[in-house]
Amino acid sequence: MKFWGKSNLLVLFCTVLFAGFQVNALSYDYTASIECLAKPHKPQYNGGIIVNPELNHGLNGWSSFGNAKIQHRESEGNRFIVAHGRQQSYDSISQKTYLQSNKFYTFSAWIQVSSGSVPVTAIFKTSSGFIHAGAIVAESNCWSMLKGGLTVDASGPAELYFESKNTSVEIWVDSISLQPFTEKQWKSHQHQSITKTRKSNVKVQAVDEQGKPLANATIIIQQKAPGFPFGVAINKNILTNRAYQNWFTSRPFTVTTFEDEMKWYSTESSQGHEDYSAADALLQFAKQHNIGVRGHNVFWDDPRYQPGWLKSLSGQQLSDAASKRLNSVMGRYKGQVIAWDVCNENLHFNFFESKIGASASAMFYNWALKADGATTLFMNEYNTIEESGDGDSIPAKYLQKLRDIQAFPGNNNAKMAIGLESHFTTPNIPYIRSSIDTLAAAKVPIWITELDVTSGPNQASYLEQILREVHAHPQIQGIVIWSAWNPRGCYRMCLTDNNFKNLPTGDVVDKLIHEFGLTSGLASGMTDPNGFFEASLFQGDYEVKITNPSVANSSSVQGLNVGPTTESQQQLLLQVSA
């Protein structure tokens, strides 16, 4: 903290977090339930454009899909619809509607099945094909909320129905909602969320030592570091390429992930011979530039990406090798990384579970908790928000795996988090939002960990849409883009060419870095007659300079952190002496 001046100057800082502004648009409902309840909630948006959403008017608006028989039932005052006598996976209930290509649709329904625990998918049949809106693992004797979303390529009639591969169960449905939003409304949700969760309104008052407000004092508020973690993956190519270094360090990235250098096949390609030299060098590079590092990854459940020598080990030998691996990498970098991807892709794959036992993942987190329990431990998975049709990693199955890990003896104190890889082809923006809503109900941190978009004519525009959506979501706490540079081509998406000139994707990132308040933002002006100056600032670290208008060359400089707060007001009282 530095001060200059010839007279005393008293400065009062107040930061206030406002709830946002009002716009003439239907608000988005970010809530989701992950509990199986005795009775379903009321339908969101009163059902939206769904006819008879609560089934209070018999079967009005609803019909049979396929060869299912449908029935209107009531239990303890709750009315719902049932599809029974199912012979095909798609035999269920349905409702015809009309979908518009320029609308974003958020969908929800409460589902129950007659027995067991069964995946059920909501599907819209359109003239151009079948669109999966979302899925849930439904249970018997209680109601589960399915939340999803969709867009369509062309306007036209559509038919909603539900699908389950288990044809022996009845599908019960209640509290159905389909709410359309215009693009303008959707963007207003993003704007409102950013104003509420990423920014704070800062009020600064300058007074003299007698407490008299200083009117017309000059206020300059300069950002020194952004508060929202945002970055790009790197690899060992950056260590020897000055142009790569310059491109990377000239941007306000505050977090990174090493593409391959911490992975087991990189650090121990032959048993007993560990080599951390590349990871060590990358970590040192990141430290020099004050960039946090995500530890990626301790284990990868895909059998294709194991060190070759692992595959011949017995179950006990593999368990011993895994214990040694975890304690080696986590012990080496304990306290030096901001997160650990302990298990990578353990929803799609089960290499360790198949050889060690079904609880292998949960056991690994138990070991990780003991090795570096102060650092957040992530699951990391793909297609949870990218592909609504991938039944292996729907939000419900992600959360079930998370609960299984948390329930393992000794894991109750683990600092767990959700990592969403986010490898997109064509984004379903409403599905992204609704899936994050569902995951957020688990009340653990959520990060976008490996964001990219496959090559194609819309790559840059899709990247922009996705970045805007995930950054605006109130529960996303960090973003890493998966575009580490390689002269032979990046994994799926580069941001620059081989001369480190921006590609269109790189231009998108630079544009949004500015819009997201990640650059050195500046707010300046004069205090009013009561000595106040107000500014709306993105969260982060700032330097505030106040100049006394009545005394030449009198000023003070104070550091200020603008962060999320639930308090209505924070105050810092500072007296500045000559």
Side-chain angles (χ1 to χ4, degrees):
M1 191 182 300
K2 298 180 181 178
F3 308 106
W4 296 268
K6 296 182 178 180
S7 63
N8 290 348
L9 181 64
L10 191 65
V11 184
L12 176 66
F13 294 96
C14 307
T15 65
V16 184
L17 185 65
F18 288 93
F21 63 96
Q22 299 296 320
V23 295
N24 294 321
L26 179 63
S27 296
Y28 179 82
D29 188 346
Y30 286 95
T31 63
S33 173
I34 58 173
E35 304 298 326
C36 202
L37 304 178
K39 288 188 177 181
H41 290 170
K42 294 286 187 179
Q44 294 187 316
Y45 315 101
N46 295 315
I49 61 174
I50 291 292
V51 176
N52 191 17
E54 294 186 75
L55 283 305
N56 288 333
H57 304 288
L59 295 176
N60 179 44
W62 297 95
S63 59
S64 173
F65 193 87
N67 293 314
K69 297 179 176 62
I70 62 172
Q71 184 180 15
H72 186 258
R73 294 185 192 172
E74 181 175 342
S75 175
E76 297 182 3
N78 181 54
R79 301 179 179 91
F80 53 95
I81 189 170
V82 174
H84 62 97
R86 301 175 55 248
Q87 298 179 356
Q88 301 293 332
S89 61
Y90 52 78
D91 289 342
S92 69
I93 65 166
S94 74
Q95 183 167 132
K96 294 181 179 178
T97 187
Y98 188 90
L99 301 180
Q100 296 174 273
S101 61
N102 61 347
K103 297 288 178 65
F104 295 83
Y105 291 90
T106 185
F107 174 81
S108 62
W110 287 78
I111 313 294
Q112 186 173 164
V113 290
S114 55
S115 63
S117 179
V118 178
V120 176
T121 304
I123 300 176
F124 284 81
K125 179 183 178 182
T126 72
S127 58
S128 57
F130 297 85
I131 302 173
H132 289 69
I136 188 68
V137 178
E139 300 180 40
S140 57
N141 301 313
C142 59
W143 294 90
S144 299
M145 184 183 185
L146 184 162
K147 192 171 188 183
L150 72 155
T151 59
V152 291
D153 294 331
S155 300
E159 191 168 7
L160 162 68
Y161 69 97
F162 298 86
E163 183 172 288
S164 176
K165 293 179 181 178
N166 187 335
T167 57
S168 68
V169 299
E170 299 176 349
I171 300 175
W172 304 4
V173 186
D174 198 2
S175 292
I176 309 99
S177 175
L178 181 64
Q179 178 61 50
F181 291 100
T182 65
E183 182 179 0
K184 184 177 181 181
Q185 289 173 324
W186 200 263
K187 288 182 177 179
S188 78
H189 305 151
Q190 295 174 345
H191 191 83
Q192 289 176 72
S193 178
I194 288 171
T195 301
K196 183 177 180 180
T197 62
R198 306 280 184 234
K199 301 179 79 174
S200 293
N201 195 62
V202 177
K203 180 183 286 187
V204 178
Q205 186 182 34
V207 298
D208 62 19
E209 60 182 344
Q210 284 77 40
K212 181 180 178 181
L214 289 171
N216 299 318
T218 300
I219 309 290
I220 300 174
I221 305 177
Q222 179 75 51
Q223 186 188 67
K224 294 301 180 181
F228 183 83
F230 186 89
V232 173
I234 57 175
N235 57 33
K236 60 186 178 183
N237 290 306
I238 203 169
L239 298 172
T240 55
N241 191 309
R242 183 59 60 87
Y244 188 2
Q245 294 175 15
N246 290 342
W247 183 90
F248 183 81
T249 59
S250 64
R251 286 156 176 82
F253 299 137
T254 55
V255 64
T256 191
T257 305
F258 306 159
E259 187 175 37
D260 289 310
E261 286 77 5
M262 275 193 188
K263 292 172 182 172
W264 199 353
Y265 59 66
S266 296
T267 63
E268 195 179 3
S269 58
S270 60
Q271 188 173 13
H273 296 86
E274 294 182 335
D275 181 3
Y276 286 100
S277 57
D280 287 348
L282 282 173
L283 185 64
Q284 185 61 32
F285 172 82
K287 285 181 178 179
Q288 290 172 352
H289 298 282
N290 298 314
I291 295 170
V293 173
R294 300 189 72 259
H296 177 78
N297 51 52
V298 181
F299 299 111
W300 194 349
D301 243 321
D302 190 334
R304 296 172 296 177
Y305 299 107
Q306 308 301 331
W309 55 270
L310 277 188
K311 298 179 181 180
S312 62
L313 300 184
S314 68
Q316 185 58 54
Q317 289 172 330
L318 179 59
S319 180
D320 292 342
S323 176
K324 180 176 179 291
R325 153 65 179 174
L326 180 142
N327 286 291
S328 174
V329 67
M330 295 186 71
R332 189 180 191 90
Y333 299 120
K334 180 178 181 178
Q336 300 183 74
V337 298
I338 62 171
W340 286 108
D341 290 332
V342 178
C343 288
N344 204 54
E345 300 175 359
N346 61 349
L347 292 174
H348 284 96
F349 305 104
N350 64 346
F351 174 78
F352 295 98
E353 288 79 1
S354 67
K355 294 178 177 292
I356 298 175
S359 62
S361 288
M363 182 174 66
F364 291 162
Y365 282 89
N366 186 258
W367 295 350
L369 177 62
K370 295 171 183 175
D372 188 7
T375 301
T376 304
L377 309 177
F378 278 75
M379 285 178 58
N380 197 46
E381 192 56 80
Y382 67 91
N383 277 359
T384 303
I385 64 172
E386 300 100 305
E387 296 291 344
S388 58
D390 187 341
D392 290 333
S393 56
I394 58 174
K397 288 192 176 179
Y398 196 120
L399 294 179
Q400 184 58 59
K401 191 74 169 183
L402 178 66
R403 285 190 289 264
D404 291 345
I405 291 169
Q406 292 173 318
F408 187 83
N411 284 359
N412 55 310
N413 293 323
K415 295 170 60 177
M416 296 293 298
I418 291 170
L420 302 173
E421 292 185 13
S422 307
H423 297 297
F424 285 92
T425 302
T426 303
N428 176 346
I429 298 298
Y431 182 77
I432 294 172
R433 185 182 292 184
S434 65
S435 296
I436 297 172
D437 294 346
T438 300
L439 295 167
K443 300 188 184 305
V444 300
I446 306 175
W447 277 56
I448 304 298
T449 57
E450 304 181 19
L451 174 58
D452 62 19
V453 180
T454 192
S455 181
N458 296 314
Q459 186 184 47
S461 64
Y462 286 164
L463 177 63
E464 181 171 349
Q465 291 175 39
I466 298 161
L467 277 171
R468 288 188 184 280
E469 183 60 46
V470 297
H471 174 259
H473 197 287
Q475 300 305 322
I476 294 298
Q477 297 188 13
I479 299 172
V480 177
I481 296 173
W482 204 250
S483 57
W485 176 81
N486 189 303
R488 296 179 300 278
C490 307
Y491 171 64
R492 295 205 323 166
M493 182 183 79
C494 283
L495 299 181
T496 73
D497 62 18
N498 282 357
N499 294 314
F500 296 93
K501 301 297 182 183
N502 268 6
L503 296 170
T505 48
D507 288 338
V508 164
V509 171
D510 282 349
K511 177 174 72 171
L512 295 186
I513 281 173
H514 177 74
E515 288 190 28
F516 293 171
L518 305 176
T519 55
S520 299
L522 179 69
S524 62
M526 311 290 286
T527 57
D528 65 17
N530 295 314
F532 286 108
F533 173 77
E534 294 188 52
S536 180
L537 303 176
F538 281 96
Q539 291 159 12
D541 292 325
Y542 290 82
E543 184 179 82
V544 183
K545 182 178 181 180
I546 302 181
T547 303
N548 187 340
S550 61
V551 180
N553 300 318
S554 174
S555 64
S556 69
V557 176
Q558 164 74 37
L560 175 66
N561 174 263
V562 179
T565 178
T566 57
E567 300 176 7
S568 60
Q569 186 169 324
Q570 290 182 334
Q571 297 187 43
L572 173 64
L573 186 63
L574 170 69
Q575 184 170 12
V576 182
S577 302

